[in-house]
Amino acid sequence: MSADTMRAVVQDGFGGPEVLRIEQVARPVPLPTEVLVRVHAAGINPVDWKTRGGSGMAGLMGEPPFTLGWDVSGVVEEVGFGVTTLRAGDEVYGMPWFPRVANAYAEYVTAPARQFSRKPAALDHVHAAAVPLAALTAWQSVVDTAHVQAGHRVLIHAAAGGVGHFAVQFARHLGAHVIATAGAARHPWLKELGADQTIDYTTTRFEDATAGVDVVIDLVGDDHDRTSTRSLKVLRPGGLLIAVPAGVSPELAREAEAAGVRVTPFLVEPDGAALTTIAGLIDAGHVAVEVEDTFPLEQAGAAHARGEAGRTRGKLVLTVPD
């Protein structure tokens, strides 16, 4: 390996986890306003395996070959012309370029400096890499879109997952009454994170267990037991459903209008400033980060298979050794 190349996980076609393989590729060079980051860990998200299979962000990324991944934690190796916010040696984390190709499953990435933030001091790179996409999705849903305030009743579906466990903590930090759906085994942990009420979706219809909700953060979607449509029933008049994974179909929009509630699709955006705020909450002890397991970069396929099997508590992370 030369200084001009690096290892990266590449896929030449769409398919199952077996399409992911390690390859030697050109090492990127930072343009003006960009930084080159030596990746120490890369987070894995559902959008990764969806894109690998041809859905997710595949339509935006074009035909393979390409390298997956958006969550990064590492160290700035080089700064491009004009960068004043970061310097070589800084430990950073971020979700660069989403939803365009970011190439996070690799030894190095380049991206605009302001799409990164200094990583939380309290976290190692593995846990920091678990934060960006999931936490930004939760933050931009709870804070920027729903404007959750003290006293609001917030229902979070798939609360034990990567996005869900952050959404529970952010909503609780803002003073909301948090209702979380998850399997019963996750309930004690979710209550530790701040959930006021937990509902076992495997035994109880959530619409039979709660009502008068101000905001629903739906991380499941109508593809699974019509979760979005059923959620309209628990909203108060004028309440808001944020449909994260599948967006808002014409049918869902019509049913929401008839019910007198609001619905909106959602897609996360890079936001270095929000990551700085989130890092402050983590370092202050207000937000915990859950990593269920790690895999070396060479085992990206195995990590995807584990994630697709479902019921992960928190996040899975790829490690990138020196």
Side-chain angles (χ1 to χ4, degrees), residues 17-310:
E18 70 280 356
V19 303
L20 301 178
R21 58 183 178 81
I22 288 285
E23 186 174 305
Q24 207 71 21
V25 301
R27 175 172 149 173
V29 176
L31 298 175
T33 75
E34 293 184 351
V35 292
L36 173 71
V37 174
R38 172 66 169 91
V39 179
H40 285 247
I44 297 174
N45 297 283
V47 68
D48 297 10
W49 57 75
K50 292 176 183 177
T51 302
R52 185 209 70 224
S55 57
M57 297 299 120
L60 298 175
M61 296 176 72
E63 291 296 316
F66 54 66
T67 293
L68 288 169
W70 288 276
D71 275 341
V72 169
S73 183
V75 177
V76 175
E77 183 111 341
E78 184 182 341
V79 300
F81 175 80
V83 174
T84 60
T85 56
L86 296 172
R87 60 185 180 182
D90 284 344
E91 295 188 315
V92 296
Y93 76 142
M95 185 198 70
W97 295 119
F98 190 85
R100 293 193 290 163
V101 178
N103 303 306
Y105 292 7
E107 291 182 314
Y108 293 90
V109 298
T110 54
R114 293 178 187 271
Q115 292 187 3
F116 291 99
S117 172
R118 286 176 175 81
K119 82 169 182 63
L123 300 183
D124 58 20
H125 284 294
V126 165
H127 286 79
V131 175
L133 193 148
L136 284 175
T137 300
W139 183 267
Q140 292 170 10
S141 296
V142 171
V143 178
D144 299 338
T145 303
H147 306 293
V148 168
Q149 300 176 21
H152 280 178
R153 291 172 55 82
V154 179
L155 171 61
I156 300 166
H157 292 307
V163 176
H165 89 289
F166 285 117
V168 167
Q169 294 177 87
F170 294 153
R172 182 60 176 172
H173 180 71
L174 293 170
H177 178 91
V178 180
I179 307 153
T181 67
R186 307 297 194 204
H187 290 188
W189 172 58
L190 287 169
K191 288 179 178 177
E192 289 177 11
L193 295 182
D196 297 284
Q197 178 185 354
T198 51
I199 301 171
D200 182 355
Y201 70 94
T202 68
T203 62
T204 305
R205 304 290 280 182
F206 63 82
E207 59 268 44
D208 296 333
T210 192
V213 171
D214 295 279
V215 177
V216 176
I217 310 293
D218 179 15
L219 305 170
V220 177
D222 260 347
D223 289 344
H224 299 274
D225 201 19
R226 302 184 75 244
T227 299
S228 295
T229 299
R230 290 165 50 213
S231 295
L232 301 177
K233 301 176 183 178
V234 306
L235 285 167
R236 64 162 177 79
L240 175 66
L241 166 68
I242 302 176
V244 176
V248 178
S249 67
E251 294 77 15
L252 180 62
R254 286 194 294 270
E255 294 204 33
E257 183 177 10
V261 299
R262 298 171 293 146
V263 293
T264 184
F266 176 87
L267 188 63
V268 65
E269 302 174 48
D271 191 342
L275 285 175
T276 298
T277 301
I278 291 166
L281 292 174
I282 291 170
D283 285 338
H286 298 308
V287 173
V289 181
E290 185 74 11
V291 173
E292 180 170 283
D293 206 352
T294 63
F295 297 78
L297 191 65
E298 294 81 1
Q299 294 181 19
H304 274 220
R306 173 77 165 274
E308 286 181 281

